[in-house]
Amino acid sequence: MDVYSSRIQVKSERRVEVKDVTEEVQVKLGESGIEDGVLFIFSLHTTNTLILNEGEPGLMRDVERWVEEAFARPDYRHDRIDRNAAAHIAASVAGNSLVLPVEGGKLALGTWQRVLHLELDGPRTRTLLVKVIGRKKENK
Amino acid sequence: MDVYSSRIQVKSERRVEVKDVTEEVQVKLGESGIEDGVLFIFSLHTTNTLILNEGEPGLMRDVERWVEEAFARPDYRHDRIDRNAAAHIAASVAGNSLVLPVEGGKLALGTWQRVLHLELDGPRTRTLLVKVIGRKKENK
Amino acid sequence: MDVYSSRIQVKSERRVEVKDVTEEVQVKLGESGIEDGVLFIFSLHTTNTLILNEGEPGLMRDVERWVEEAFARPDYRHDRIDRNAAAHIAASVAGNSLVLPVEGGKLALGTWQRVLHLELDGPRTRTLLVKVIGRKKENK
């Protein structure tokens, strides 16, 4: 059993933005050499999150709009300090991490599952920490 | 330390449906032989999710109704392709996985905690991937 | 690779209450001796949850108010048995566990990230189960 760690940078162009990072995560998994186990992606911030869902562009826009509407309130206390309380609350509810299965050295994802970074207070550059726990290929 | 993997099928009868799958998960854990560690349940789909909560039938209906109301919108873009954007967004927010503690070869759950599959776009048959990472019983 | 387990008690004074438990979790991680891996915090209850976000007091009150409003409904079935259906549903959506990275024997958190317990049906005393999976410091 082994632990592997690496980091990914994600850059957003808009305030609320869904971006597909599946390939970047798969590259890190390949570097780990782990064949069977679990991969964790952690946000190191408080106003972004990670989701696993379909990467259809219309749906990505729907997610952005739902999040903007569901968490908007006119009178958050935190908005007096920094106008991003809604982003903090959305990130709290959706969670700081994504947990994914690894089989045969690949992410064991369903047909439509893509790893999506959800920026809630961009544009910014974010750091994601990737950790993989599992078994490397046995030596023959 | 060891990794164990298995799959569970879950069948729904309605579009939005909470179903208790605790026993099926416990059986897989028993097969793993792992005594102390963490069990992961992953959905391989984008319009269902897993939650850990009480299995009281009235509450299960309340969860279904809350989800149907909280994510409904008349004008999702993805609905022009496939009329299930609300299901995708609910699944994104609630998450693709459930993480559970294992102690003494059993799920270490509180008195009222049950593993619940939440179908958001049924009726369908779904595949759940179960992985367990941990320590097997030591040989005496 | 090793597995470590411990428990934390959290006491709330109000019905809905965010409380910072980062230090208690860090102490348990120190006791584990694990240097590199993943730390899991599990609720053993069905009407509380854990989030990772900023510990700014105004924001903690905003989270409490958002949760109270977003899940309130006048006619939950479960409320005929026990008047806390909204708390169960909020806990289901936010999740039963928090997953955190461990590096150099410390929680690898971003500048603003704090481990927050969110009580949804207090005042109560809650038990949290902490598990750490990873590698201990190598002997020199």
Side-chain angles (χ1 to χ4, degrees):
Chain A
M1 293 285 293
D2 231 303
V3 187
Y4 169 87
S5 302
S6 191
R7 279 163 164 77
I8 290 172
Q9 303 288 323
V10 189
K11 205 178 164 183
S12 58
E13 308 291 338
R14 291 176 287 123
R15 195 168 63 79
V16 176
E17 182 180 309
V18 176
K19 190 171 186 174
D20 190 323
V21 297
T22 314
E23 296 313 316
E24 289 90 326
V25 175
Q26 181 62 58
V27 166
K28 295 300 180 186
L29 174 55
E31 288 170 12
S32 78
I34 289 173
E35 289 283 309
D36 185 18
V38 176
L39 182 145
F40 305 87
I41 314 171
F42 300 102
S43 165
L44 295 175
H45 312 275
T46 53
T47 53
N48 67 335
T49 188
L50 291 147
I51 60 178
L52 190 73
N53 216 270
E54 193 177 333
E56 191 273 305
L59 182 61
M60 288 160 84
R61 300 298 87 72
D62 292 335
V63 169
E64 293 164 1
R65 194 161 59 89
W66 183 84
V67 165
E68 295 216 58
E69 291 177 9
F71 297 93
R73 294 286 185 280
D75 54 355
Y76 283 126
R77 292 185 191 198
H78 186 70
D79 283 348
R80 297 173 209 163
I81 298 170
D82 194 359
R83 298 201 58 78
N84 62 0
H88 283 285
I89 299 173
S92 299
V93 172
N96 65 302
S97 65
L98 201 62
V99 187
L100 304 171
V102 174
E103 298 199 320
K106 303 273 178 194
L107 294 173
L109 300 179
T111 313
W112 303 103
Q113 291 182 317
R114 303 293 295 175
V115 181
L116 305 174
H117 177 262
L118 172 49
E119 173 60 67
L120 295 159
D121 192 32
R124 297 200 198 204
T125 300
R126 303 294 198 169
T127 302
L128 305 179
L129 174 51
V130 175
K131 288 184 95 78
V132 195
I133 294 185
R135 204 158 36 199
K136 292 197 177 184
K137 204 165 187 169
E138 286 170 46
N139 296 317
K140 300 287 166 63
Chain B
M1 293 285 293
D2 231 306
V3 186
Y4 169 87
S5 302
S6 191
R7 279 163 165 78
I8 290 172
Q9 302 288 325
V10 188
K11 206 180 162 181
S12 58
E13 308 290 337
R14 290 175 289 121
R15 196 168 64 79
V16 176
E17 181 179 308
V18 176
K19 190 170 186 176
D20 190 324
V21 297
T22 314
E23 296 314 316
E24 289 89 326
V25 175
Q26 182 62 60
V27 166
K28 297 297 180 186
L29 174 55
E31 289 170 10
S32 78
I34 289 173
E35 288 285 308
D36 185 17
V38 175
L39 182 144
F40 305 88
I41 315 171
F42 300 102
S43 164
L44 295 175
H45 312 274
T46 52
T47 53
N48 67 335
T49 188
L50 291 147
I51 59 178
L52 191 73
N53 216 271
E54 193 177 334
E56 190 273 306
L59 182 61
M60 289 159 84
R61 299 298 86 74
D62 291 335
V63 169
E64 292 164 2
R65 193 160 62 87
W66 183 84
V67 164
E68 295 216 58
E69 291 177 8
F71 296 93
R73 294 287 183 279
D75 53 358
Y76 283 127
R77 293 186 191 197
H78 186 69
D79 284 349
R80 297 174 208 161
I81 296 171
D82 194 0
R83 297 200 58 77
N84 62 1
H88 283 285
I89 299 172
S92 298
V93 172
N96 66 301
S97 66
L98 201 63
V99 187
L100 303 171
V102 173
E103 299 199 320
K106 304 272 178 194
L107 294 174
L109 300 180
T111 313
W112 302 103
Q113 290 182 317
R114 304 293 295 175
V115 181
L116 304 175
H117 178 262
L118 172 50
E119 173 60 66
L120 295 159
D121 192 33
R124 296 202 199 202
T125 300
R126 303 294 199 170
T127 302
L128 305 178
L129 174 52
V130 175
K131 289 185 96 78
V132 195
I133 294 184
R135 207 159 33 201
K136 292 196 176 185
K137 205 166 187 168
E138 286 170 46
N139 296 318
K140 302 284 169 63
Chain C
M1 294 285 294
D2 230 304
V3 187
Y4 170 86
S5 302
S6 190
R7 279 163 164 77
I8 290 172
Q9 302 288 324
V10 188
K11 204 179 164 182
S12 59
E13 309 290 337
R14 292 176 287 122
R15 195 169 63 79
V16 176
E17 182 180 306
V18 176
K19 191 171 187 176
D20 190 323
V21 297
T22 314
E23 296 314 317
E24 289 90 326
V25 175
Q26 182 61 60
V27 167
K28 296 300 181 185
L29 174 56
E31 288 171 10
S32 77
I34 288 173
E35 288 285 309
D36 185 16
V38 175
L39 182 145
F40 304 88
I41 315 171
F42 300 102
S43 165
L44 296 174
H45 311 275
T46 52
T47 53
N48 66 336
T49 187
L50 291 148
I51 60 178
L52 190 73
N53 216 270
E54 194 177 332
E56 190 272 306
L59 182 61
M60 288 160 84
R61 299 298 87 72
D62 292 334
V63 169
E64 293 164 359
R65 193 162 61 88
W66 183 85
V67 164
E68 296 215 58
E69 291 176 9
F71 296 93
R73 294 287 184 278
D75 54 356
Y76 283 127
R77 293 185 191 198
H78 186 70
D79 284 348
R80 297 174 207 162
I81 297 170
D82 195 359
R83 296 201 58 77
N84 62 0
H88 283 285
I89 298 173
S92 298
V93 172
N96 65 302
S97 65
L98 202 61
V99 187
L100 303 171
V102 173
E103 299 198 320
K106 303 273 178 193
L107 294 174
L109 300 180
T111 313
W112 302 103
Q113 290 183 316
R114 303 293 294 176
V115 181
L116 305 175
H117 178 262
L118 172 50
E119 173 60 67
L120 295 160
D121 192 34
R124 299 202 196 201
T125 300
R126 303 294 198 169
T127 302
L128 305 179
L129 174 52
V130 176
K131 289 185 95 78
V132 195
I133 294 185
R135 205 159 34 201
K136 292 197 177 185
K137 205 165 186 168
E138 286 170 46
N139 295 317
K140 302 283 166 67

